[in-house]
Amino acid sequence: TYDYALDRDCTTLSRHILEQLQSFGPDAQDLSALMTRIGLAGKLIARRLSRADLVEGALGFTGDTNVQGEEVKKMDIYANEVFIAVFKQSGLVCQLASEEMEKPYYIPENCPIGRYALLYDPIDGSSNVDINLNVGSIFSIRQQTGEDPDQNGANLLQDGHQQLAAGYILYGPSVVLVYSIGKGVHAFTLDPSLGEFILSSESIQVPKHGPVYSVNEGNFWQWDEALRDFTRYVHRHEGYTARYSGALVGDFHRILLQGGVFIYPGTVEKPDGKLRLLYESAPLAFLLEQAGGAASTGKHPLLDVVPDYLHARTPLIIGSTEDVALVKSFIDERVREQ
Ligand code: P6P
């Protein structure tokens, strides 16, 4: 008899990619190799996180600040170095752009021009590391095209539809890698006994509506009136529940699986919101549209936005189509009144 459990345990990331692409051409091989290396980065970071309190020098601050103007944590630097180390000799990636680096990192040696660019947030939600709550890594893979004479990532300023692959690794009770190469959204769970990411959910579809709204209501006083209208609505209507962990990847993963909406709006202090387009919002928007959801800045579809700067921010409203539409209905109502 056919052993489905054994076959499932053999469905690793690389095998799954080749099956998705139904081709074994150079691009398929490249994407499979790229995703396998993303998986290796995830394993290395997961290993560090799982013993962070016990590893001398793993936690705490470096004393520097990053492009966010946030204090840099040692775990941010370690995770950033992991991605560079993993892709250094790949011969696949020429450009690495990260929240932790003002300018992209180039891998000149053994790297034919016009290969791939990796844009990533190595540890998102790192404030959660010290209290052992979930954190994540977010990644986006693009074709490296065009010149970057000033080495500031000018060739990466493209809309989100151009992404070849996108996804995240959620470091939670289990380590889950979720990816899409434009053929649906699929989740893999790290089996520590094998040291492999094994297929756990295929072709994930986000519910059309969900009970969860995920937003930091502590910023209520900083929001536009439209967001306050939405919040008053969900406060007054049953069937909604608030869930917010302060770490984007975990909050997003809940929306992907259970439906609802995650919002990081513009605020008085940060009119364009806090989240970075190219390596936080756009990869998640790519995934969610593949899963039948929606993502908006409040004014435009998120994937249409072309940033003017590598670390550009946008407001983010992302989740079930009906819930994103509800938030937008309050925005549009306020616009009509103006
Ligand atoms: P706030 C973490 O610093 C992060 O970038 C995201 O992971 C998270 O969604 C957001 O910021 C939380 O920001 O302002 O609600 O604390």
Side-chain angles (χ1 to χ4, degrees):
T1 55
Y2 188 72
D3 183 342
Y4 284 97
L6 176 58
D7 186 60
R8 201 278 311 271
D9 280 354
C10 294
T11 309
T12 59
L13 258 176
S14 48
R15 169 176 148 183
H16 192 259
I17 297 244
L18 295 175
E19 286 172 354
Q20 285 302 309
L21 289 169
Q22 289 303 318
S23 87
F24 296 85
D27 281 357
Q29 298 291 354
D30 280 355
L31 273 174
S32 177
L34 284 163
M35 284 305 302
T36 301
R37 286 176 186 267
I38 293 281
L40 175 56
K43 292 179 209 173
L44 288 164
I45 294 168
R47 182 179 67 175
R48 183 90 166 197
L49 287 168
S50 69
R51 302 177 296 119
D53 290 327
L54 306 177
V55 176
E56 183 56 37
L59 293 179
F61 295 92
T62 63
D64 300 323
T65 54
N66 68 10
V67 290
Q68 297 263 29
E70 286 176 341
E71 283 190 289
V72 176
K73 288 180 166 298
K74 292 175 183 171
M75 190 61 75
D76 291 322
I77 296 304
Y78 174 78
N80 192 58
E81 297 296 328
V82 162
F83 278 90
I84 292 172
V86 161
F87 282 94
K88 214 169 184 66
Q89 294 309 329
S90 67
L92 289 167
V93 169
C94 288
Q95 247 181 325
L96 291 95
S98 149
E99 182 178 62
E100 300 307 327
M101 302 186 291
E102 176 59 28
K103 291 178 174 291
Y105 182 95
Y106 284 83
I107 306 175
E109 63 267 4
N110 84 7
C111 183
I113 296 304
R115 300 298 282 167
Y116 302 93
L118 173 70
L119 300 96
Y120 62 106
D121 184 358
I123 284 281
D124 181 83
S126 55
S127 56
N128 276 4
V129 170
D130 300 342
I131 51 172
N132 195 35
L133 288 184
N134 69 271
V135 292
S137 302
I138 308 172
F139 63 88
S140 170
I141 294 170
R142 295 171 177 267
Q143 195 78 51
Q144 192 219 354
T145 56
E147 302 302 317
D148 187 18
D150 303 328
Q151 298 228 327
N152 57 10
N155 66 314
L156 298 175
L157 305 183
Q158 306 166 342
D159 67 53
H161 299 286
Q162 314 283 326
Q163 296 175 94
L164 292 176
Y168 57 85
I169 301 155
L170 175 58
Y171 308 100
S174 62
V175 179
V176 174
L177 185 151
V178 179
Y179 89 97
S180 178
I181 51 175
K183 294 178 177 293
V185 175
H186 315 288
F188 288 72
T189 300
L190 181 62
D191 180 336
S193 66
L194 285 175
E196 285 285 359
F197 280 101
I198 302 297
L199 180 66
S200 43
S201 300
E202 202 165 25
S203 305
I204 298 170
Q205 285 294 301
V206 63
K208 288 298 168 221
H209 163 67
V212 174
Y213 71 100
S214 186
V215 66
N216 183 343
E217 294 196 42
N219 294 331
F220 184 90
W221 62 278
Q222 294 194 56
W223 293 342
D224 293 343
E225 211 48 44
L227 254 299
R228 295 179 183 174
D229 291 343
F230 166 75
T231 308
R232 284 187 276 261
Y233 176 89
V234 294
H235 285 173
R236 289 185 190 133
H237 289 73
E238 62 178 306
Y240 290 94
T241 187
R243 289 287 185 277
Y244 194 77
S245 76
L248 174 59
V249 174
D251 287 333
F252 176 86
H253 193 64
R254 181 189 294 110
I255 298 291
L256 175 69
L257 299 186
Q258 298 177 350
V261 62
F262 174 92
I263 307 170
Y264 205 106
T267 64
V268 167
E269 288 167 2
K270 295 189 171 78
D272 288 333
K274 179 180 180 184
L275 302 177
R276 303 289 179 173
L277 177 68
L278 285 175
Y279 42 77
E280 289 178 333
S281 302
L284 299 181
F286 181 84
L287 276 187
L288 207 67
E289 297 219 347
Q290 282 287 315
S296 168
T297 64
K299 294 192 178 78
H300 308 288
L302 198 285
L303 288 180
D304 291 353
V305 177
V306 178
D308 54 8
Y309 162 55
L310 186 62
H311 302 287
R313 305 172 198 263
T314 63
L316 177 65
I317 303 165
I318 189 167
S320 300
T321 46
E322 290 176 15
D323 300 304
V324 170
L326 177 64
V327 179
K328 280 181 61 46
S329 70
F330 289 103
I331 294 171
D332 298 343
E333 178 62 31
R334 283 287 171 175
V335 168
R336 272 193 294 278
E337 287 170 1
Q338 282 166 0

